[in-house]
Amino acid sequence: MPEEADRVEVTASPTDVTTPTDVTTATDVAGTPEPGPDVAGTPEPGPGGAGAASAGGTPGGGGSAGGLGVVDPPLLASRLSPAALPEPVLVRPRLLDRLDRGAAGPVTLVLAPAGWGKTTLLAGWARAARAEPPPAWVTVEVGDTGERLWAYLAAALRAAAEGVPGEGPQPPVPDGPPRPDQLELLAAALAARERPVLLVLDDLHRVTDPAALAGLEFLLRHTDGRLRVVAGARTDPPLALHRWRLAGELTEIGPAELAFTPDEVADLLVAHGVPLPAAAVPRLADRTGGWPAGLRFAALALRAQADPARAVDRFTGDQPDVAGYLRDEVLAPLDPAARDVLRRSAVAAAVCADLADAVTGRPDAGQVLADLAREGGFVQRDGSSPPWYRCQPLLADLLRDELDRLPTDELGELHRRAAGWYAGHDRPAEALRHALAGGEWDTATELLIARWPELAPYERDRPAAPAPPEPPAEAVRRDPELALAGAAERAYAGDAEAAAGQLRRAVEYARDLPAPRRDRFRRLAVAVELTLARLAGDHDEVRRAAGRLLATGAPAGPVDDPRAGAAEDADVRAVAGTALGLVALADGELSEAAARFAEALAAARRAGRPRTELVCASRSALLDAAHGALRAAERHAREALALPSCEGWSSRLDCGYAYLALALVAWDRDEPAEAAANLTLAGPATAEPGAAALAALCRAGLLAAGGEPAAALRALVAARETAPGPELGAWLTADEAQLRAAVGDVESARALLAGAGAGAGEPGGVGAREAGTGGAALDVALARVRLRSGDPRAAGRALPDWTGPDAAAWPLSVRLAAGLIDAVLTGAAGDGRRAGRILEQVLDLAEPEGYRRVFTRAEPGVRDLLAAHLDSGTAHWPTVSDLVRGADERRADEPPKRPAGPERTLDEPLTERELTILRYLQSILSNVEIASELSLSVNTVKTHVRNIYRKLDATRRREAVRRARELRLI
């Protein structure tokens, strides 16, 4: 045995990528220790040759046991080197930066299940070029004892310490598990170093003995930050993480951060040579949940396809390669009980603890899911209370495939349990699906008849649901409503073709129904037709189908039960009104939409339909906010979010409308942090027709207030190009023009407003515009632009009559802005008393709703008007005082203005166009992008930039911007 050890060649170093042999000794890896007071002692030459030492590092024994030449297993160079990176390598800078920031603290933990790219990320980071020496690396293996693990830690620490020149004597690293006195010596030596030692521990979850890491934990606490550990693990390692977490010194990177973004998915596909169209990339990201291993499997599979875009939808978790990986790396390590809970819970797309308990028959199923979700990655939880859980999409595919292999009776029982739970918890659509899947025909028909108003789909992106078996012909012949139930279920799932087929089947068998049942059948059939028209996006057919449904609203019920007829009439009005409101909102007809939703909301409440109530309340909240009724908007939004149906993934869109309404309310109340938070929560609602334009107005305002006018303009331009209806388009145009004027581009602002028809009503006005409240917004914007350009008389001509009867229909923010401009113009004309009266009228309108932004972001003269108004007396003294104090605080934060005008310090003043381009030079936009923003040629922009440099005596952009700020030009 010693002879075999003698033949091992030293061919690896801690940073080698590939080696002829994967075996080396501890001394070879760490370097020969210097003679001196090393705690572990200096190894003497032994049977293994000069300088050789065993992994245990027995002092004076040369690695032998009792001098008999028994050598401990040598250390593997591959465990002391970063893993080889998979090809092609995709660099993800956001994660490397995250690790760089984390490595400035004591502990960084990359925690995620299998296949989330932990090792690849850590290896790429460890190999990245940096000023400091590369970090030490140790890969933990199954079965590592404390002695074996410390042997690798000792080798890695020696190598890391050796790689830092000029640090003096090497720290006394013992070869075996250190005694307390050895730990103190080592900690003191590390703490005395100038540069920290970075140590990467990969697969740290393989350590099963907490004592194995006791020494490392001691060093982390007592080296004054000179030892820093970056670890990768599948589960929480046996370290006292709570100490660093409580101190704010723990950096954690989990599956949510490791998941590929759509842009990174696109980069990965390009690296793999997969020609996937851009529109299909988000579908693949959703299909895989951003799971890195799944994406690599997908890239390999799609590369072999003639039509990769179509193959994306066929890429599932039950494909052999993906299924094998998930079974071996994800499911196999789980406890059998946890695997069973996952498989049986997969009968539903998402489950809460109660549903999981009901389906599996286990009282601890919810706790099992909570434990799995805590690790993240493959079991995700939403933010509702109680939380709902769902599996990563590819794992869900595999689990459903395993479910289908269960005996028919057992699978049917799972569906029946799920149907019963959903029916008892006001989720009729899910109850209907499981009743059909479980063959509960009578239950399915009863659900349709009793709960049909809540079976209309409102979410665009619902989790995919496999089609249940179609009811047999004999059952449909006996009960045609059963086929209607199947049609309603398929329509809710978004499968319009299957739904239409089931509807035709139902109509065919319903010809011989008696009159009362025929009337009921007709109402249900028209409701399905209305849903199919909405799925097709046929707005005209939606209006026609809604009209047909309203015609069935007064059923010929028994005269002795008027309550039943009233309830059915309320259902009809709620469903039809909601459909009409959604169409009006998508077409940008805001007033029509508001009226429809208000009627439908009242009907839904009378009928007791919380799902329909949620849809109407959330949209009503948004429309109230858009019109300026901030208190009503906030009330409706809070009511919507408090509804039981606003929980889990099934209502993300509806809740998103409520959050978007709250974002607009917060923005108008000048609460930008609150507005930004709610805008983020709005999620999918910000991409819906109509709502997207309102979201863009809020987003652009936040960007502009945050010093990003170019990004704000891009948001407005993009939204204006797709905005439905003239009203929303006019609002976006007005905001864009005012922002362009604010950054000095008055010419573009004027041209934009002229093209939209602003000022068409004033003497000599040209152009035409659509009627509606958008016209007032355009005229107010024109007045503001003219006022900013120093032409108050022209501003007065453009300003619409904000006190007239028509102004009551304007958005309140537009009316308030018009009133403030009127007050400023009146005050500038010398009539301070009348300006005060106008300002009081504006405050009368603004204060009940809590408006502030219209004052805080208004023309400079408004602050002086408000201050004078305090002296002259106002019924809104607390509000005005607060506004003036806020304006003074903002002034105090600004650099002091120089008494002399900037042009006096320049030999040649900047032109208006040069001032505009100068403001863009503050951003990161290139000359090409600036040219695009201003609709100029690149050569023209370059000429202006050269002139700016010459006039400011600057040679580069940063210098020109600094000089311009000194001169108060920007």
Side-chain angles (χ1 to χ4, degrees), residues 33 149 151 163 190 207 240 258 273 281 295 299 313-314 321 327 333 397 567 599 626 661 710 776 804 808 821 894 968:
L149 178 61
L190 289 173
V207 175
L258 294 171
V281 170
L295 284 165
D313 297 323
R314 298 194 299 270
D321 288 342
R327 287 194 179 98
D397 292 338
E599 295 170 0
I821 294 173
E894 295 176 356
R968 306 295 297 158

Side-chain angles (χ1 to χ4, degrees), residues 391-467:
C391 287
Q392 190 268 352
L394 297 178
L395 179 60
D397 292 338
L398 174 63
L399 294 172
R400 282 194 294 267
D401 181 64
E402 292 187 354
L403 268 182
D404 291 340
R405 301 173 191 273
L406 291 177
T408 303
D409 292 346
E410 188 175 350
L411 180 57
E413 178 60 23
L414 291 176
H415 282 296
R416 285 189 286 274
R417 290 178 183 179
W421 188 90
Y422 279 123
H425 288 79
D426 290 324
R427 290 181 174 264
E430 292 90 343
L432 176 59
R433 175 173 301 123
H434 289 287
L436 290 168
E440 294 290 304
W441 310 131
D442 291 342
T443 300
T445 302
E446 291 167 4
L447 281 167
L448 174 71
I449 293 171
R451 311 294 290 274
W452 68 269
E454 295 169 282
L455 297 176
Y458 298 111
E459 295 274 358
R460 284 175 177 267
D461 300 319
R462 292 177 301 280

Side-chain angles (χ1 to χ4, degrees), residues 545-747:
R548 295 196 299 272
L549 183 59
L550 286 168
T552 70
V559 294
D560 58 345
D561 189 10
R563 289 176 299 177
E568 291 184 16
D569 184 65
D571 277 338
V572 165
R573 292 185 180 280
V575 173
T578 301
L580 291 171
L582 291 170
V583 166
L585 179 57
D587 288 343
E589 300 168 359
L590 304 189
S591 298
E592 171 71 10
R596 293 294 188 179
F597 282 128
E599 295 170 0
L601 178 60
R605 286 173 172 167
R606 289 198 307 271
R609 303 296 186 185
R611 183 71 179 85
T612 311
E613 183 182 349
L614 170 60
V615 175
C616 297
S618 60
R619 274 71 171 182
S620 292
L622 180 61
L623 293 166
D624 285 338
H627 192 261
L630 304 188
R631 293 192 183 278
E634 187 173 26
R635 184 181 70 254
H636 280 135
R638 301 293 182 199
E639 289 172 352
L641 293 172
L643 286 168
S645 50
C646 194
E647 62 182 27
W649 282 281
S650 61
S651 301
R652 288 187 309 142
L653 179 63
D654 302 320
C655 297
Y657 272 90
Y659 283 120
L660 180 53
L662 292 175
L664 293 177
V665 169
W667 175 239
D668 279 323
R669 290 178 176 168
D670 202 24
E671 299 168 349
E674 185 76 11
N678 283 305
L679 187 61
T680 300
L681 291 171
T686 61
E688 290 282 295
L694 296 172
L697 289 168
C698 184
R699 184 178 294 110
L702 289 167
L703 289 168
E708 299 183 64
L713 284 171
R714 287 195 294 271
L716 290 171
V717 170
R720 180 164 55 84
E721 291 173 351
T722 59
E727 189 171 22
L728 287 171
W731 293 359
L732 290 162
T733 300
D735 265 35
E736 183 185 341
Q738 291 173 105
L739 182 54
R740 289 188 181 279
V743 298
D745 191 4
V746 177
E747 294 177 15

